Amino acid sequence: MSKLVVLLFVAVTLSLAHPGFGGALEVSVETLKPNPDGETIVKGGSYEAHVTLYVENGDSLTPAGWSTRKNEGGNGKPFKFSPGVGLIQGWTDGVLRMKVGERAKIHVPAHLGYGDKEMGRKGGAWYIPANSNLCFDIEVLQDKAKAEL
């Protein structure tokens, strides 16, 4: 019986800690376009970004139906945000590891996203199933006023 408990403990630990076994425990940031000279994003700051949201399905990404990019069905208007204010924890954790002008994929495990809550409406404009790992393709835009100085 104790061997079974140990095996179950190891299986659960692996499923939580290894992406190939069901999901990571923390946010990961995959930088697509670095900007080493960019300003570091800070909690409470005001920013704009182009964003596309995906639901992760193992090794593939399924569009969740929300994007600001015109070429992906959005209206072309950047999303305005402030890290730590009205956002899921995974978004904040990810963008705080970025710099202005960078583009990255932020991989968010379900418990740092919407958890066991279903978001949107199945068959609607956008939808996120409960317990979904998410991927945000985010490009934090340069502040035009600061760029002109």
Side-chain angles (χ1 to χ4, degrees):
M1 181 68 155
S2 65
K3 286 182 183 179
L4 179 61
V5 170
V6 169
L7 284 174
L8 285 173
F9 174 77
V10 169
V12 168
T13 302
L14 283 174
S15 73
L16 292 173
H18 190 280
F21 290 100
L25 288 174
E26 61 186 45
V27 170
S28 70
V29 178
E30 174 188 349
T31 303
L32 304 174
K33 183 183 96 179
N35 185 17
D37 299 324
E39 210 175 292
T40 300
I41 295 173
V42 295
K43 199 169 192 175
S46 295
Y47 303 94
E48 291 187 350
H50 279 300
V51 185
T52 303
L53 172 61
Y54 299 93
V55 174
E56 294 187 341
N57 298 306
D59 291 336
S60 68
L61 300 175
T62 302
W66 181 69
S67 180
T68 63
R69 297 180 174 98
K70 276 190 175 185
N71 63 342
E72 296 185 29
N75 63 10
K77 294 180 183 173
F79 175 70
K80 296 178 182 187
F81 71 96
S82 180
V85 180
L87 300 167
I88 60 170
Q89 186 63 48
W91 173 294
T92 295
D93 291 353
V95 296
L96 290 176
R97 292 167 44 193
M98 293 179 68
K99 293 184 178 196
V100 173
E102 286 188 335
R103 182 171 182 175
K105 286 185 177 175
I106 298 177
H107 301 274
V108 178
H111 72 279
L112 294 175
Y114 297 105
D116 62 1
K117 293 183 223 123
E118 189 175 64
M119 301 301 289
R121 189 172 39 93
K122 202 170 194 172
W126 64 278
Y127 176 66
I128 302 168
N131 300 309
S132 292
N133 294 332
L134 306 174
C135 177
F136 291 93
D137 178 342
I138 299 176
E139 182 173 9
V140 182
L141 304 175
Q142 294 282 354
D143 181 336
K144 290 180 184 172
K146 286 183 182 176
E148 292 172 3
L149 294 176

